[in-house]
Amino acid sequence: MALYFVATVIIIFISTAFANDNGLGLTPPMGWNTWCTEGRCGRDFCNAQEVMAIADAMVANGMKDVGFQYINLDDCWADHRDKNGEIVADPDRFPQGLVPVVKYVNSKGFKFGLYTDGGLYTCSRGGRSHNIPGSYGHYEKDAATYASWGVEYVKMDWCNSKVNGTQLQPKVQYPEMSRALNKTGKKIFFNSCEWGVDKPWEWMGQYANSWRSGPDHHDNWINTAEIIEHNVGLSKYAGPGAWNDPDFLMTGGQGCSDSPDKRCPGMTDHEYRSEFGMWCLLAAPLLVVTDVRQLNDIQRELLLNTELIAVNQDKLGHQGDRIGFSNCSMHEKTACQIWAKNLTNSSVALGLFNSGSQPYDITFDFTMMPGWGNKYIQFYDLMAKKKISVFLHSFMAKQVPSHGIAMYKIWEYKEKIDNDLIEQ
């Protein structure tokens, strides 16, 4: 047989009662985040004009219409604490403070999000000569400040988390911030970012709506492939209101170090298709950090693909997982991967992913799906947005590009069988 299995079921979804039941994140959040737009990743220091221009663009280019709803500031916006201990936005980048920016973003139909850190300082100085204060020792004060500004999403990072030589513990600090946010009485989506070091998928769902499941995602393929592999087997921990977060989307390429008006993409279009497709299968937050003010071709193809987004936003709330491999190469035995995600109406999203170094034919045997071995299966190509045929026993995606993916929605074909429609 031309394939082997690592699972006999697609996904076993464990229904969990999450303590952080704020009614938010019933589907994964979608939005834009500062980080890789005006310059290379980590050098996009953001300002009021950039953020408002992004809001305008996301209305004009159709991103708002397809479901992107958050506009978030990452480690770039804060400067210091005032004499009362309240956090203050950078006066050069946000001369009127954040409230006018929040109101502008809201007026365009978006929700506004902010970054903080659970330790003494944030991860980056953001081009400044001094450290930016974290939230340690100020969780309730910062939560109250964010709520008063109209913030509806908070990401808490985990840098500089030693205090007087003692290492802080995620299992103490994240619950503390979660309680502080809930105490405000305002519904605020809470994203934890402790990089998966403390297996947050096992416990963070009690306190946060999403949690980083691994290391930072960068605009290069080696890192992207590692992120995908890191999320294998985590599907049972996610569900409505609580999501594994593999980190930002780099779709379309980061900015350049020499000019904020140019792009210096670190991946090919095939690799960006795999990135976006896998994030959709993983039911991951879709938070784009690249420049969306002028969408390039691959951004337009992916970020506006309502079929792929529907997989990510499916109300059933199942995270996809790898269910096996197709033995397409003697030399790259795990290159051809079969991924599946349960959807509503008994349909399934299928990803045939080639992590290998050259194009391969990838075979999906229906016996990988319990009870589907002798059924007629309708295939719908999610990238091309069209039905392709009905198949019996197996299906082959031909010459899937290196680092590429073929994505389908499949379901049992129950109409009268016309042999002219069937491919075996």
Side-chain angles (χ1 to χ4, degrees):
M1 183 177 287
L3 48 85
Y4 59 97
F5 312 139
V6 295
T8 57
V9 295
I10 307 171
I11 300 162
I12 301 175
F13 180 72
I14 299 176
S15 179
T16 305
F18 298 114
N20 187 41
D21 187 13
N22 55 16
L24 300 176
L26 299 182
T27 59
M30 297 172 58
W32 175 87
N33 200 103
T34 56
W35 199 240
C36 305
T37 291
E38 294 196 343
R40 299 187 72 82
C41 295
R43 298 295 181 268
D44 175 16
F45 298 143
C46 77
N47 56 66
Q49 291 72 29
E50 175 191 354
V51 174
M52 292 188 289
I54 290 289
D56 291 338
M58 290 173 67
V59 173
N61 65 21
M63 290 180 68
K64 178 178 179 292
D65 290 340
V66 300
F68 289 89
Q69 62 174 324
Y70 288 98
I71 292 182
N72 298 342
L73 303 191
D74 212 88
D75 192 357
C76 65
W77 66 271
D79 187 75
H80 65 279
R81 292 190 182 277
D82 65 17
K83 63 181 181 180
N84 297 317
E86 291 191 1
I87 195 72
V88 177
D90 186 301
D92 295 322
R93 298 167 185 173
F94 301 92
Q96 296 179 306
L98 285 182
V99 172
V101 180
V102 175
K103 288 183 177 179
Y104 188 86
V105 166
N106 291 163
S107 75
K108 297 296 179 177
F110 298 103
K111 299 177 181 179
F112 190 86
L114 280 184
Y115 165 103
T116 188
D117 190 278
L120 291 171
Y121 307 107
T122 68
C123 295
S124 171
R125 290 183 173 184
R128 302 170 181 81
S129 60
H130 60 275
N131 291 322
I132 302 171
S135 286
Y136 177 74
H138 300 270
Y139 294 134
E140 284 198 6
K141 183 177 287 291
D142 285 355
T145 298
Y146 302 154
S148 72
W149 290 347
V151 170
E152 297 180 78
Y153 183 113
V154 169
K155 167 186 172 180
M156 192 163 90
D157 218 336
W158 193 238
C159 289
N160 300 297
S161 55
K162 279 189 177 181
V163 177
N164 296 324
T166 300
Q167 176 64 53
L168 299 176
Q169 297 302 313
K171 290 184 179 181
V172 174
Q173 310 311 138
Y174 282 98
E176 188 173 339
M177 178 55 100
S178 177
R179 290 189 291 269
L181 292 171
N182 289 337
K183 187 176 179 180
T184 68
K186 183 176 180 64
K187 290 188 175 183
I188 299 176
F189 187 104
F190 186 34
N191 168 250
S192 79
C193 182
E194 51 92 84
W195 319 307
V197 298
D198 207 24
K199 297 183 178 180
W201 47 85
E202 293 183 350
W203 59 273
M204 192 67 82
Q206 301 174 72
Y207 308 109
N209 298 106
S210 65
W211 52 87
R212 277 281 298 281
S213 55
D216 289 352
H217 182 212
H218 302 291
D219 191 9
N220 69 74
W221 179 251
I222 291 176
N223 171 260
T224 300
E226 289 174 347
I227 295 286
I228 293 170
E229 187 66 25
H230 188 83
N231 281 271
V232 174
L234 299 185
S235 58
K236 66 182 179 181
Y237 299 104
W243 308 100
N244 288 300
D245 178 10
D247 201 12
F248 301 137
L249 286 164
M250 302 292 167
T251 313
Q254 65 183 336
C256 302
S257 56
D258 60 340
S259 173
D261 299 321
K262 296 192 299 183
R263 295 178 193 264
C264 290
M267 294 193 283
T268 68
D269 284 355
H270 290 311
E271 290 165 348
Y272 287 127
R273 290 184 185 102
S274 290
E275 175 206 40
F276 193 80
M278 289 302 302
W279 263 237
C280 289
L281 283 168
L282 289 168
L286 301 182
L287 297 174
V288 186
V289 291
T290 51
D291 196 345
V292 297
R293 290 171 294 191
Q294 295 291 332
L295 296 182
N296 59 20
D297 288 345
I298 193 63
Q299 285 180 309
R300 194 172 295 107
E301 174 188 328
L302 296 174
L303 301 182
L304 302 180
N305 186 322
T306 54
E307 304 285 0
L308 292 174
I309 290 171
V311 169
N312 176 268
Q313 295 289 298
D314 187 79
K315 301 298 184 184
L316 197 60
H318 283 195
Q319 176 177 321
D321 219 324
R322 187 167 63 200
I323 61 170
F325 299 85
S326 173
N327 189 14
C328 58
S329 168
M330 293 181 61
H331 305 291
E332 298 185 284
K333 293 187 180 297
T334 61
C336 296
Q337 305 182 17
I338 316 296
W339 289 71
K341 178 185 190 296
N342 290 337
L343 303 175
T344 52
N345 300 320
S346 300
S347 58
V348 172
L350 181 72
L352 305 184
F353 170 50
N354 178 8
S355 66
S357 60
Q358 64 186 63
Y360 290 117
D361 295 340
I362 301 180
T363 298
F364 166 54
D365 189 301
F366 297 170
T367 58
M368 299 183 79
M369 309 273 283
W372 283 41
N374 293 310
K375 293 181 178 179
Y376 294 97
I377 304 300
Q378 174 74 64
F379 275 68
Y380 181 93
D381 189 320
L382 291 166
M383 293 288 187
K385 300 181 182 179
K386 65 178 183 180
K387 286 184 180 180
I388 49 176
S389 196
V390 177
F391 294 82
L392 180 64
H393 301 311
S394 67
F395 168 82
M396 177 185 288
K398 297 181 179 179
Q399 293 296 285
V400 178
S402 170
H403 305 167
I405 193 168
M407 289 193 62
Y408 307 94
K409 182 177 180 179
I410 60 176
W411 61 91
E412 183 182 358
Y413 185 81
K414 296 182 178 180
E415 301 175 30
K416 183 179 179 180
I417 299 301
D418 182 343
N419 289 332
D420 292 335
L421 289 175
I422 306 303
E423 296 191 29
Q424 301 187 35

